[in-house]
Amino acid sequence: MAHEVVLLDFWPSMFGMRVRVALAEKGIKYEYKEEDLRNKSPLLLKMNPIHKKIPVLIHNGKPVCESLVIVQYIDEVWKDKNPFLPSDPYHKAHSRFWADFIEQKVYDTARKIWATKGEEQEVAKKEFIETFKILEGELGEKPFFGGETFGFVDIALITFYSWFYTYETFGNFSIEAECPKIIAWAKRCMQKESVANSLPDQKKIYEFTVWMKKYFGMD
Amino acid sequence: MAGEVVLLDFWSSMFAMRVRLALAEKGIKYESKEQDLSNKSPLLLEMNPINKQVPVLIHNGKPVCESLIIVQYIDEVWNDKSPLLPSDPYQRAQARFWADFVDKKVSVAAKNVWSTKGEEQEAGKKEFLETLKIMEGELGDKPYFGGETFGYVDLSLITFYSWFHAYEVLGNINIEAECPKIIAWAKRCMQKEAVAKTLPDQKKVYEFVVQLRKMFVSE
């Protein structure tokens, strides 16, 4: 089957990164198109008219939107290699639950750590640590959330790791001190080429965030 | 495949209704255990320690949480009858996208219609009707979101229909006037025995929501 795969993306987006990791895990060749989110391309607006957001995967001209929907789509189409989800329905539901937990709990809280100050920031830090401690509990002694192999939940979470230096610097705290197992897991994931090649450097994300705060007058 | 199926339930929850509807579509016998959400049972807290919410499906003693995850699980386990999701991965991704839209956009706006007042409520009403109009666009001229047959997206949205009378009275809006295609679609769904039997009476829901609103709004 011939595949034309295009990814509309934005380099610091942890949601776009999930799709990059998924494509790399499956060894899929694709064209990466960087979007300027202050000036969205006609292609983006056409391919994601509802949310007008990246990432968008365009497969043989047809768009798929929402990062976790895209990752499941990739897993189902390129099903012969490195499955992300377990085959058993119960374990699949379990993985979906934890990816959904990450989706509901991590982003908004994490954003408040770099985007707010004072009381609001302190509350956000506390919630962030609590969320990651719950995730540590779910990880347990397993090398990956997927068990012996890197899977759907690992993909959903690992991309936030590229923002950890940003959270720690703005929030003035150490994630490793609070959640050592998460850092150990993240470093294990980063040993995978698909992950290391897909995540930007943590310092670059920090510089981007500093710039973004100035640009939007968030200081 | 069969085994023991228990649903931790709450009669007026549109999320729990989704599961009841999926079970009815598949003809699965189950025990519904109505929960007191102001005094959560040890069973609920044990089966859903993370979110502590209904619905929870307990299949042969093992819990599955989050309504859309439960519905997908039911579809995968009882896969010989009335498929809810399409078999084609692209169509499946589209179905997941729209169910996610219902959860992220329709549901959130709907809540603001009954749980807020003043300007916040006006904004909520506007957004709610906008999201329903977007759904109308997606429905097009199809009898169901699933095409010729009732499917996953229909199931994710129809349960909100039981709350429409409550939205209309408390929000002072006329959904049929604004979104006639959605009402036509909903009435079509209600002709299905599984839907008609699963959804509670709209007046009963309204009385419940009037009481519930008191917890959110001082008037």
Side-chain angles (χ1 to χ4, degrees):
Chain A
M1 189 206 290
H3 293 285
E4 193 205 296
V5 182
V6 176
L7 175 62
L8 306 184
D9 203 347
F10 180 59
W11 72 269
S13 162
M14 58 285 273
F15 305 103
M17 284 174 222
R18 287 168 169 170
V19 182
R20 285 174 240 162
V21 172
L23 291 165
E25 276 284 296
K26 300 282 189 179
I28 298 163
K29 297 223 183 308
Y30 66 100
E31 182 190 352
Y32 178 95
K33 284 193 173 179
E34 186 75 17
E35 283 286 331
D36 177 357
L37 297 182
R38 293 164 297 168
N39 187 18
K40 293 176 180 178
S41 72
L43 181 63
L44 174 57
L45 299 176
K46 179 181 163 198
M47 291 287 144
N48 191 356
I50 303 297
H51 297 303
K52 305 176 176 57
K53 286 180 172 172
I54 56 93
V56 180
L57 189 81
I58 313 174
H59 182 206
N60 294 332
K62 299 197 295 187
V64 185
C65 306
E66 292 301 299
S67 63
L68 293 182
V69 174
I70 299 171
V71 171
Q72 288 186 79
Y73 174 76
I74 289 170
D75 201 33
E76 288 166 13
V77 174
W78 287 272
K79 56 184 190 290
D80 306 323
K81 182 178 176 184
N82 289 350
F84 302 149
L85 279 159
S87 48
D88 162 68
Y90 186 78
H91 292 110
K92 210 178 334 212
H94 188 87
S95 291
R96 285 183 177 136
F97 174 87
W98 284 101
D100 180 73
F101 175 84
I102 290 162
E103 201 70 322
Q104 288 193 43
K105 301 281 185 189
V106 180
Y107 179 77
D108 287 331
T109 302
R111 187 181 180 278
K112 284 181 184 164
I113 296 176
W114 62 258
T116 69
K117 295 191 272 229
E119 180 74 34
E120 204 179 347
Q121 190 192 46
E122 287 306 308
V123 169
K125 279 162 63 177
K126 192 163 165 281
E127 259 177 47
F128 181 90
I129 299 292
E130 267 165 29
T131 298
F132 275 89
K133 283 200 158 106
I134 290 172
L135 288 165
E136 277 193 325
E138 168 56 20
L139 180 65
E141 300 304 314
K142 306 194 296 292
F144 300 103
F145 285 92
E148 290 305 309
T149 49
F150 184 82
F152 189 59
V153 182
D154 302 281
I155 293 174
L157 188 61
I158 189 57
T159 60
F160 287 91
Y161 182 64
S162 63
W163 280 71
F164 274 20
Y165 179 76
T166 300
Y167 304 144
E168 287 177 322
T169 309
F170 279 105
N172 191 29
F173 70 124
S174 161
I175 300 174
E176 180 148 26
E178 303 277 353
C179 305
K181 280 184 158 181
I182 287 292
I183 299 301
W185 159 82
K187 289 179 173 169
R188 192 176 300 124
C189 293
M190 288 294 285
Q191 283 172 359
K192 292 171 66 62
E193 213 179 296
S194 60
V195 178
N197 289 347
S198 301
L199 266 56
D201 177 69
Q202 292 199 32
K203 293 255 162 72
K204 279 205 166 140
I205 297 277
Y206 173 70
E207 282 158 19
F208 163 76
T209 311
V210 169
W211 169 86
M212 187 172 42
K213 287 185 73 165
K214 279 208 177 75
Y215 180 84
F216 287 104
M218 290 166 82
D219 277 327
Chain B
M1 184 205 283
E4 192 200 283
V5 182
V6 175
L7 175 63
L8 304 186
D9 203 350
F10 189 72
W11 73 275
S12 65
S13 160
M14 59 282 271
F15 304 103
M17 279 177 228
R18 287 169 169 174
V19 181
R20 301 205 293 267
L21 189 46
L23 292 165
E25 278 285 292
K26 300 280 189 178
I28 299 163
K29 296 223 181 312
Y30 68 99
E31 181 190 355
S32 163
K33 289 194 173 177
E34 188 73 10
Q35 297 297 299
D36 177 356
L37 298 180
S38 59
N39 185 19
K40 293 178 179 179
S41 69
L43 181 62
L44 174 57
L45 298 175
E46 184 198 335
M47 291 288 144
N48 191 356
I50 302 296
N51 294 330
K52 305 175 177 56
Q53 282 171 1
V54 297
V56 181
L57 189 81
I58 312 174
H59 185 205
N60 293 330
K62 300 199 291 188
V64 185
C65 306
E66 292 301 303
S67 65
L68 292 181
I69 293 173
I70 299 170
V71 169
Q72 290 185 76
Y73 173 78
I74 289 169
D75 203 35
E76 288 163 13
V77 173
W78 287 271
N79 57 8
D80 51 345
K81 181 183 175 181
S82 301
L84 294 166
L85 277 151
S87 49
D88 169 69
Y90 186 76
Q91 298 303 328
R92 211 162 33 232
Q94 298 311 304
R96 285 186 179 130
F97 173 87
W98 284 103
D100 177 73
F101 180 84
V102 174
D103 269 1
K104 282 200 176 113
K105 299 285 184 185
V106 180
S107 171
V108 172
K111 185 170 183 196
N112 284 331
V113 173
W114 65 262
S115 69
T116 65
K117 61 179 180 184
E119 250 184 68
E120 210 181 336
Q121 192 189 37
E122 288 306 307
K125 282 158 60 175
K126 191 164 167 275
E127 216 192 303
F128 175 65
L129 292 168
E130 268 167 26
T131 64
L132 286 185
K133 287 190 166 114
I134 291 174
M135 296 299 300
E136 278 192 325
E138 169 55 19
L139 181 65
D141 292 318
K142 307 193 300 286
Y144 301 102
F145 287 95
E148 291 304 310
T149 48
F150 185 87
Y152 186 65
V153 181
D154 302 279
L155 189 148
S156 73
L157 184 62
I158 191 57
T159 61
F160 286 83
Y161 182 63
S162 63
W163 284 57
F164 274 20
H165 181 63
Y167 300 145
E168 288 188 318
V169 176
L170 293 171
N172 192 26
I173 53 175
N174 182 341
I175 300 175
E176 181 145 25
E178 302 275 351
C179 307
K181 279 185 157 179
I182 286 291
I183 298 301
W185 159 82
K187 287 178 175 169
R188 189 177 302 124
C189 293
M190 289 293 284
Q191 284 171 0
K192 286 173 62 67
E193 204 182 319
V195 178
K197 286 203 165 143
T198 297
L199 266 55
D201 175 66
Q202 290 201 30
K203 292 249 159 75
K204 274 198 171 157
V205 172
Y206 166 70
E207 282 157 19
F208 166 80
V209 181
V210 164
Q211 294 308 312
L212 191 64
R213 180 175 161 84
K214 290 177 185 165
M215 281 170 41
F216 289 81
V217 176
S218 55
E219 294 186 294

